[in-house]
């Protein structure tokens, strides 16, 4: 009984590696583009939730928190608000999906209050993942 042992040749291995490389170069950019879109969508959802909490604060206190009081006023009474009915969020104000704090300004330059993130790059403006995410 003669068993013949046969393995892969170097050429066959190279062909397989080239095919895997081509698939990765095609699928990889599409996959990572979706990750950036999901972070932007998460930032928009967080801004929407913070807007609702700010609106509830305004209903109770009669005005939005000042820029100095900022978003922490949604969790802790700033001390001089007798009609504060919070906390208005179950948890502390989250950072944006890129790990940076949201910016809040009242009165706003673009709407009654401005609530925004500078995106992935942390700089004003930008496109794609680096675009600002705003409430206006």
């Amino acid at each position: 009984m003669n068993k013949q042992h046969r393995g892969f040749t170097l050429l066959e291995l190279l062909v397989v590696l080239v095919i895997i490389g081509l698939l990765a170069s095609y699928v990889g950019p599409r996959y990572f583009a979706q990750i950036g879109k999901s972070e932007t969508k998460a930032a928009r959802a967080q801004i929407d939730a913070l807007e609702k909490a700010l609106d509830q604060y305004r209903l109770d206190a009669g005005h939005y928190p000042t820029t100095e009081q900022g978003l922490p006023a949604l969790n802790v009474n700033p001390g001089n608000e007798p009609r504060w009915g919070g906390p208005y969020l179950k948890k502390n104000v989250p950072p944006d999906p890129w790990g940076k704090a949201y910016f809040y300004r009242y009165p706003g330059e673009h709407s009654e209050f401005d609530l925004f993130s500078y995106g992935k790059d942390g700089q004003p403006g930008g496109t794609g993942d680096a675009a600002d995410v705003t409430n206006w």
Side-chain angles (χ1 to χ4, degrees), residues 28 40 43-44 57 87 94 101 104 106-107 110 116 122 124-126 130 132:
T40 301
R44 288 182 207 273
Y57 180 102
Y104 171 76
Y106 176 76
H110 303 280
F116 56 98
D132 298 347

Side-chain angles (χ1 to χ4, degrees), residues 67 105-116 118 135-136:
T67 301
R105 186 171 39 223
Y106 176 76
E109 294 176 9
H110 303 280
S111 62
E112 194 166 3
F113 62 87
D114 293 346
L115 182 58
F116 56 98
Y118 283 135
N135 71 322
W136 62 85

Side-chain angles (χ1 to χ4, degrees), residues 19-95:
I19 292 171
I20 290 172
L22 288 172
L23 287 172
S25 68
Y26 179 74
V27 173
R30 293 175 186 264
Y31 173 74
F32 289 112
Q34 294 301 320
I35 291 174
K37 287 179 185 176
S38 66
E39 289 172 332
T40 301
K41 287 180 182 179
R44 288 182 207 273
Q46 286 178 334
I47 285 176
D48 184 52
L50 291 171
E51 279 184 300
K52 289 181 171 102
L54 286 163
D55 288 339
Q56 187 63 45
Y57 180 102
R58 186 190 63 161
L59 286 173
D60 289 348
H63 57 84
Y64 289 110
T66 65
T67 301
E68 292 76 29
Q69 292 169 330
L71 296 175
L74 297 173
N75 286 52
V76 178
N77 187 339
N80 55 352
E81 295 295 340
R83 297 187 326 191
W84 188 84
Y88 299 98
L89 297 171
K90 291 181 181 179
K91 298 179 181 178
N92 289 335
V93 177

